Amino acid sequence: MNNPRTIKYIVLHCTATPVNTSLESIQRYWKEQRGWGDTPGYHYIIKRNGAIIQLLDESKNSDGVYAHNSACINIAFIGGVDKEGKAVDNRSEAQQHAMFGLIVRLSDKYPGAETLGHRDFPGVKKACPCFDVKNWLKNYEPDLSSLR
Ligand SMILES: [Zn+2]
């Protein structure tokens, strides 16, 4: 099925939570603290073990990048802060591998879409996703041995 939206950006995020935070508690937070109702922050969320959970159909807008959501597919990994709440790239190898595979798949589906980090958008003051996306994409080599 064709997506009625024009996807210009594949945007990477972190949930800005400790790595062991459950998906359920993140969703509860969105709903109860931020009042987001049933619109999730991201289309896909990647758990510590590399499992990819789809929260929203790609034809719908999620709530990831202020003023750009209509053109974005938003992907987040669970994590992004350390015990003190400081921004850190604490993705597991399984998360990186899953993220990379998902980006490859979406880039194939939406040719011309650019993969960016949330912080790469103008005016964004947060550290999200807590790593340099362009640099990571250029240098990432999946460690296949760790996945067996
Ligand atoms: Zn973000």
Side-chain angles (χ1 to χ4, degrees):
M1 197 186 85
N2 286 327
N3 195 330
R5 304 196 296 138
T6 302
I7 304 304
K8 287 195 247 165
Y9 307 107
I10 297 163
V11 190
L12 306 184
H13 300 263
C14 63
T15 55
T17 64
V19 293
N20 54 0
T21 310
S22 73
L23 181 55
E24 292 69 28
S25 66
I26 291 167
Q27 288 179 299
R28 203 176 321 123
Y29 172 78
W30 287 342
K31 201 165 190 146
E32 292 170 8
Q33 308 296 320
R34 309 205 64 168
W36 282 358
D38 291 323
T39 302
Y42 322 105
H43 293 85
Y44 294 98
I45 205 158
I46 304 174
K47 292 164 115 173
R48 190 83 186 144
N49 66 3
I52 298 172
I53 312 295
Q54 182 164 12
L55 299 176
L56 189 69
D57 194 87
E58 289 171 20
S59 64
K60 300 209 166 77
N61 294 347
S62 64
D63 219 342
V65 187
Y66 179 72
H68 292 279
N69 283 305
S70 62
C72 295
I73 301 277
N74 292 297
I75 304 169
F77 72 96
I78 294 184
V81 297
D82 65 13
K83 284 200 205 79
E84 280 77 47
K86 271 188 23 209
V88 64
D89 180 9
N90 48 14
R91 290 171 299 161
S92 65
E93 173 57 31
Q95 278 174 317
Q96 293 194 42
H97 187 259
M99 183 177 267
F100 194 81
L102 183 57
I103 293 165
V104 168
R105 183 158 68 75
L106 292 171
S107 302
D108 197 47
K109 191 167 171 185
Y110 304 108
E114 190 182 2
T115 302
L116 293 172
H118 188 179
R119 69 183 186 191
D120 298 328
F121 284 83
V124 174
K125 298 218 163 55
K126 11 180 155 188
C128 182
C130 304
F131 63 98
D132 183 324
V133 170
K134 294 269 181 225
N135 204 36
W136 173 69
L137 284 174
K138 215 187 305 169
N139 296 302
Y140 179 66
E141 286 173 37
D143 176 7
L144 299 172
S145 64
S146 73
L147 298 165
R148 284 191 198 115

